[in-house]
Short mmCIF file of all heavy atoms in Angstrom, two decimals:
data_model
loop_
_atom_site.label_atom_id
_atom_site.label_comp_id
_atom_site.label_asym_id
_atom_site.label_seq_id
_atom_site.Cartn_x
_atom_site.Cartn_y
_atom_site.Cartn_z
N GLY S 788 0.80 -1.21 0.00
CA GLY S 788 0.00 0.00 0.00
C GLY S 788 0.83 1.26 0.00
O GLY S 788 0.35 2.35 0.34
N GLN S 789 2.10 1.14 -0.38
CA GLN S 789 3.01 2.28 -0.37
C GLN S 789 2.59 3.29 -1.44
O GLN S 789 2.22 2.93 -2.56
CB GLN S 789 4.43 1.78 -0.66
CG GLN S 789 5.53 2.73 -0.27
CD GLN S 789 6.89 2.01 -0.22
OE1 GLN S 789 6.95 0.78 -0.23
NE2 GLN S 789 7.96 2.78 -0.15
N ASP S 790 2.64 4.58 -1.10
CA ASP S 790 2.26 5.64 -2.03
C ASP S 790 3.41 5.88 -3.00
O ASP S 790 4.36 6.61 -2.68
CB ASP S 790 1.91 6.92 -1.27
CG ASP S 790 1.32 7.99 -2.18
OD1 ASP S 790 1.70 8.05 -3.36
OD2 ASP S 790 0.48 8.78 -1.70
N VAL S 791 3.32 5.25 -4.14
CA VAL S 791 4.37 5.33 -5.16
C VAL S 791 3.76 5.84 -6.46
O VAL S 791 2.68 5.41 -6.87
CB VAL S 791 5.00 3.94 -5.40
CG1 VAL S 791 5.94 3.97 -6.60
CG2 VAL S 791 5.74 3.47 -4.16
N VAL S 792 4.45 6.77 -7.11
CA VAL S 792 4.10 7.21 -8.45
C VAL S 792 5.31 6.97 -9.34
O VAL S 792 6.44 7.33 -8.98
CB VAL S 792 3.72 8.71 -8.47
CG1 VAL S 792 3.53 9.19 -9.91
CG2 VAL S 792 2.46 8.95 -7.66
N VAL S 793 5.10 6.35 -10.50
CA VAL S 793 6.18 6.08 -11.45
C VAL S 793 6.02 7.01 -12.65
O VAL S 793 4.93 7.13 -13.21
CB VAL S 793 6.16 4.61 -11.92
CG1 VAL S 793 7.18 4.38 -13.04
CG2 VAL S 793 6.45 3.68 -10.74
N THR S 794 7.11 7.68 -13.01
CA THR S 794 7.10 8.50 -14.23
C THR S 794 8.08 7.92 -15.23
O THR S 794 9.10 7.33 -14.85
CB THR S 794 7.49 9.96 -13.92
OG1 THR S 794 8.84 10.01 -13.45
CG2 THR S 794 6.56 10.57 -12.89
N ARG S 795 7.78 8.09 -16.50
CA ARG S 795 8.68 7.64 -17.58
C ARG S 795 8.84 8.79 -18.56
O ARG S 795 7.87 9.19 -19.21
CB ARG S 795 8.11 6.40 -18.28
CG ARG S 795 8.08 5.17 -17.37
CD ARG S 795 7.39 3.99 -17.99
NE ARG S 795 7.40 2.86 -17.07
CZ ARG S 795 6.46 1.90 -17.03
NH1 ARG S 795 5.42 1.95 -17.87
NH2 ARG S 795 6.55 0.91 -16.16
N CYS S 796 10.05 9.31 -18.65
CA CYS S 796 10.28 10.48 -19.48
C CYS S 796 10.99 10.11 -20.77
O CYS S 796 11.67 9.09 -20.87
CB CYS S 796 11.11 11.52 -18.71
SG CYS S 796 12.81 11.01 -18.42
N SER S 797 10.82 10.97 -21.76
CA SER S 797 11.57 10.82 -23.01
C SER S 797 12.94 11.46 -22.85
O SER S 797 13.29 11.96 -21.77
CB SER S 797 10.79 11.45 -24.17
OG SER S 797 10.51 12.81 -23.90
N ASN S 798 13.75 11.46 -23.89
CA ASN S 798 15.14 11.94 -23.81
C ASN S 798 15.20 13.39 -23.35
O ASN S 798 14.64 14.27 -23.99
CB ASN S 798 15.82 11.82 -25.17
CG ASN S 798 16.22 10.40 -25.50
OD1 ASN S 798 15.46 9.46 -25.25
ND2 ASN S 798 17.39 10.22 -26.06
N ASN S 799 15.91 13.63 -22.26
CA ASN S 799 16.10 14.98 -21.75
C ASN S 799 17.32 15.65 -22.37
O ASN S 799 18.27 14.98 -22.77
CB ASN S 799 16.29 14.96 -20.23
CG ASN S 799 14.99 14.88 -19.46
OD1 ASN S 799 14.84 15.51 -18.42
ND2 ASN S 799 14.03 14.11 -19.93
N TYR S 800 17.29 16.96 -22.44
CA TYR S 800 18.44 17.75 -22.88
C TYR S 800 18.36 19.11 -22.22
O TYR S 800 17.32 19.49 -21.67
CB TYR S 800 18.45 17.89 -24.40
CG TYR S 800 17.37 18.82 -24.93
CD1 TYR S 800 17.66 20.14 -25.25
CD2 TYR S 800 16.04 18.39 -25.08
CE1 TYR S 800 16.66 21.00 -25.70
CE2 TYR S 800 15.05 19.24 -25.53
CZ TYR S 800 15.37 20.55 -25.83
OH TYR S 800 14.38 21.40 -26.27
N GLY S 801 19.46 19.86 -22.28
CA GLY S 801 19.47 21.20 -21.72
C GLY S 801 20.82 21.52 -21.10
O GLY S 801 21.78 20.77 -21.24
N PRO S 802 20.93 22.65 -20.40
CA PRO S 802 22.18 23.06 -19.77
C PRO S 802 22.66 22.05 -18.73
O PRO S 802 21.88 21.38 -18.09
CB PRO S 802 21.81 24.39 -19.09
CG PRO S 802 20.64 24.90 -19.87
CD PRO S 802 19.87 23.68 -20.27
N ARG S 803 23.98 21.95 -18.61
CA ARG S 803 24.66 21.14 -17.60
C ARG S 803 24.53 19.64 -17.84
O ARG S 803 24.71 18.86 -16.91
CB ARG S 803 24.17 21.48 -16.19
CG ARG S 803 24.46 22.90 -15.75
CD ARG S 803 24.09 23.09 -14.27
NE ARG S 803 24.35 24.45 -13.84
CZ ARG S 803 23.49 25.45 -13.94
NH1 ARG S 803 22.29 25.23 -14.46
NH2 ARG S 803 23.81 26.67 -13.54
N GLN S 804 24.25 19.22 -19.04
CA GLN S 804 24.21 17.78 -19.32
C GLN S 804 25.62 17.29 -19.66
O GLN S 804 26.32 17.89 -20.48
CB GLN S 804 23.26 17.47 -20.48
CG GLN S 804 23.04 15.97 -20.68
CD GLN S 804 21.95 15.68 -21.70
OE1 GLN S 804 21.70 16.48 -22.60
NE2 GLN S 804 21.29 14.54 -21.56
N PHE S 805 26.04 16.22 -19.03
CA PHE S 805 27.39 15.69 -19.22
C PHE S 805 27.63 15.41 -20.71
O PHE S 805 26.78 14.81 -21.37
CB PHE S 805 27.57 14.41 -18.41
CG PHE S 805 28.98 13.93 -18.31
CD1 PHE S 805 29.85 14.51 -17.40
CD2 PHE S 805 29.45 12.92 -19.12
CE1 PHE S 805 31.17 14.07 -17.29
CE2 PHE S 805 30.75 12.48 -19.03
CZ PHE S 805 31.61 13.05 -18.10
N PRO S 806 28.77 15.86 -21.24
CA PRO S 806 28.99 15.77 -22.70
C PRO S 806 29.36 14.38 -23.20
O PRO S 806 30.40 14.17 -23.81
CB PRO S 806 30.13 16.78 -22.93
CG PRO S 806 30.87 16.80 -21.63
CD PRO S 806 29.83 16.63 -20.56
N GLU S 807 28.45 13.42 -22.95
CA GLU S 807 28.54 12.10 -23.55
C GLU S 807 27.26 11.79 -24.33
O GLU S 807 27.28 10.95 -25.22
CB GLU S 807 28.78 11.02 -22.48
CG GLU S 807 27.60 10.85 -21.51
CD GLU S 807 27.86 9.81 -20.43
OE1 GLU S 807 28.94 9.18 -20.46
OE2 GLU S 807 26.99 9.64 -19.55
N LYS S 808 26.16 12.48 -23.99
CA LYS S 808 24.90 12.29 -24.67
C LYS S 808 24.89 13.07 -25.98
O LYS S 808 25.68 14.00 -26.18
CB LYS S 808 23.74 12.71 -23.77
CG LYS S 808 23.69 11.98 -22.42
CD LYS S 808 23.42 10.49 -22.58
CE LYS S 808 23.40 9.76 -21.24
NZ LYS S 808 22.24 10.06 -20.42
N LEU S 809 23.98 12.73 -26.87
CA LEU S 809 24.02 13.24 -28.24
C LEU S 809 24.08 14.76 -28.34
O LEU S 809 24.95 15.31 -29.02
CB LEU S 809 22.79 12.73 -29.01
CG LEU S 809 22.62 13.28 -30.43
CD1 LEU S 809 23.77 12.86 -31.32
CD2 LEU S 809 21.29 12.84 -31.03
N ILE S 810 23.17 15.47 -27.69
CA ILE S 810 23.08 16.92 -27.89
C ILE S 810 24.29 17.66 -27.33
O ILE S 810 24.92 18.44 -28.06
CB ILE S 810 21.74 17.45 -27.36
CG1 ILE S 810 20.61 16.99 -28.30
CG2 ILE S 810 21.75 18.97 -27.23
CD1 ILE S 810 19.21 17.34 -27.84
N PRO S 811 24.67 17.47 -26.06
CA PRO S 811 25.85 18.20 -25.59
C PRO S 811 27.14 17.79 -26.29
O PRO S 811 28.00 18.63 -26.55
CB PRO S 811 25.89 17.90 -24.09
CG PRO S 811 25.13 16.63 -23.94
CD PRO S 811 24.06 16.67 -24.99
N LEU S 812 27.27 16.50 -26.61
CA LEU S 812 28.47 16.04 -27.32
C LEU S 812 28.58 16.71 -28.68
O LEU S 812 29.64 17.19 -29.10
CB LEU S 812 28.45 14.53 -27.49
CG LEU S 812 29.62 13.93 -28.28
CD1 LEU S 812 30.91 14.06 -27.50
CD2 LEU S 812 29.35 12.49 -28.66
N THR S 813 27.45 16.77 -29.39
CA THR S 813 27.45 17.40 -30.71
C THR S 813 27.81 18.89 -30.59
O THR S 813 28.62 19.40 -31.37
CB THR S 813 26.07 17.24 -31.37
OG1 THR S 813 25.80 15.85 -31.56
CG2 THR S 813 26.02 17.95 -32.72
N ILE S 814 27.24 19.58 -29.63
CA ILE S 814 27.49 21.01 -29.48
C ILE S 814 28.97 21.29 -29.24
O ILE S 814 29.58 22.11 -29.92
CB ILE S 814 26.63 21.59 -28.34
CG1 ILE S 814 25.14 21.57 -28.72
CG2 ILE S 814 27.07 23.02 -28.00
CD1 ILE S 814 24.21 21.92 -27.56
N VAL S 815 29.56 20.60 -28.26
CA VAL S 815 30.95 20.91 -27.92
C VAL S 815 31.91 20.47 -29.02
O VAL S 815 32.93 21.12 -29.26
CB VAL S 815 31.34 20.32 -26.55
CG1 VAL S 815 30.44 20.88 -25.45
CG2 VAL S 815 31.32 18.81 -26.55
N ASN S 816 31.59 19.37 -29.69
CA ASN S 816 32.44 18.95 -30.81
C ASN S 816 32.38 19.97 -31.95
O ASN S 816 33.40 20.30 -32.56
CB ASN S 816 32.03 17.58 -31.32
CG ASN S 816 32.63 16.44 -30.50
OD1 ASN S 816 33.13 16.67 -29.39
ND2 ASN S 816 32.59 15.23 -31.01
N LEU S 817 31.19 20.47 -32.23
CA LEU S 817 31.06 21.47 -33.29
C LEU S 817 31.79 22.76 -32.92
O LEU S 817 32.42 23.39 -33.77
CB LEU S 817 29.58 21.76 -33.56
CG LEU S 817 28.79 20.62 -34.21
CD1 LEU S 817 27.31 20.99 -34.28
CD2 LEU S 817 29.32 20.28 -35.60
N PHE S 818 31.73 23.15 -31.66
CA PHE S 818 32.48 24.33 -31.21
C PHE S 818 33.97 24.17 -31.49
O PHE S 818 34.65 25.13 -31.87
CB PHE S 818 32.28 24.56 -29.71
CG PHE S 818 30.97 25.18 -29.33
CD1 PHE S 818 30.51 25.10 -28.03
CD2 PHE S 818 30.19 25.87 -30.25
CE1 PHE S 818 29.31 25.69 -27.64
CE2 PHE S 818 28.99 26.46 -29.88
CZ PHE S 818 28.55 26.36 -28.58
N ASP S 819 34.48 22.94 -31.26
CA ASP S 819 35.92 22.71 -31.35
C ASP S 819 36.38 22.17 -32.70
O ASP S 819 37.56 21.89 -32.88
CB ASP S 819 36.34 21.71 -30.26
CG ASP S 819 36.40 22.35 -28.88
OD1 ASP S 819 36.24 23.58 -28.79
OD2 ASP S 819 36.61 21.62 -27.90
N GLY S 820 35.45 22.02 -33.66
CA GLY S 820 35.83 21.50 -34.96
C GLY S 820 36.20 20.03 -34.93
O GLY S 820 36.99 19.56 -35.75
N VAL S 821 35.62 19.27 -33.98
CA VAL S 821 35.86 17.84 -33.85
C VAL S 821 34.72 17.08 -34.51
O VAL S 821 33.56 17.50 -34.44
CB VAL S 821 35.98 17.45 -32.36
CG1 VAL S 821 36.13 15.94 -32.20
CG2 VAL S 821 37.16 18.17 -31.73
N GLU S 822 35.04 15.95 -35.14
CA GLU S 822 34.00 15.18 -35.82
C GLU S 822 32.88 14.77 -34.87
O GLU S 822 33.11 14.45 -33.70
CB GLU S 822 34.61 13.93 -36.45
CG GLU S 822 35.48 14.22 -37.66
CD GLU S 822 36.02 12.96 -38.29
OE1 GLU S 822 36.35 12.00 -37.55
OE2 GLU S 822 36.12 12.91 -39.52
N VAL S 823 31.67 14.78 -35.39
CA VAL S 823 30.48 14.41 -34.64
C VAL S 823 30.02 13.02 -35.09
O VAL S 823 29.64 12.84 -36.26
CB VAL S 823 29.34 15.42 -34.86
CG1 VAL S 823 28.06 14.95 -34.17
CG2 VAL S 823 29.75 16.80 -34.36
N PRO S 824 30.05 12.02 -34.20
CA PRO S 824 29.64 10.66 -34.60
C PRO S 824 28.13 10.47 -34.53
O PRO S 824 27.48 10.92 -33.58
CB PRO S 824 30.35 9.79 -33.58
CG PRO S 824 30.43 10.65 -32.35
CD PRO S 824 30.57 12.07 -32.83
N ILE S 825 27.58 9.80 -35.52
CA ILE S 825 26.16 9.45 -35.52
C ILE S 825 26.06 7.95 -35.82
O ILE S 825 26.59 7.47 -36.82
CB ILE S 825 25.37 10.24 -36.58
CG1 ILE S 825 25.44 11.74 -36.30
CG2 ILE S 825 23.91 9.78 -36.60
CD1 ILE S 825 24.61 12.56 -37.27
N TYR S 826 25.33 7.24 -34.97
CA TYR S 826 25.17 5.81 -35.16
C TYR S 826 24.35 5.49 -36.41
O TYR S 826 23.32 6.13 -36.68
CB TYR S 826 24.46 5.18 -33.96
CG TYR S 826 25.35 4.87 -32.79
CD1 TYR S 826 24.94 5.18 -31.50
CD2 TYR S 826 26.58 4.24 -32.95
CE1 TYR S 826 25.72 4.88 -30.40
CE2 TYR S 826 27.37 3.94 -31.87
CZ TYR S 826 26.94 4.26 -30.59
OH TYR S 826 27.72 3.96 -29.51
N GLY S 827 24.77 4.46 -37.14
CA GLY S 827 24.01 3.95 -38.27
C GLY S 827 23.75 5.02 -39.31
O GLY S 827 24.65 5.73 -39.74
N ASP S 828 22.46 5.14 -39.71
CA ASP S 828 22.10 6.14 -40.72
C ASP S 828 21.56 7.43 -40.11
O ASP S 828 21.17 8.35 -40.82
CB ASP S 828 21.07 5.57 -41.70
CG ASP S 828 19.78 5.13 -41.04
OD1 ASP S 828 19.62 5.37 -39.81
OD2 ASP S 828 18.91 4.55 -41.72
#
């Protein structure tokens, strides 16, 4: 009977995201002229 609510979110992005996820990685690589990897097609 524990009061629990479960949420499921889609992909988050925004300021202060560690630069391993797609959006921050792409931004900092583009700033520095480093290649941006994209999986598959």
Side-chain angles (χ1 to χ4, degrees):
Q789 198 164 346
D790 188 328
V791 172
V792 173
V793 173
T794 64
R795 293 174 180 151
C796 69
S797 57
N798 283 42
N799 278 218
Y800 72 99
R803 297 187 181 88
Q804 188 172 27
F805 192 80
E807 66 182 357
K808 303 295 179 71
L809 174 63
I810 288 175
L812 177 69
T813 298
I814 292 170
V815 300
N816 277 15
L817 291 174
F818 282 162
D819 284 353
V821 175
E822 288 182 323
V823 175
I825 299 183
Y826 278 136
D828 60 6

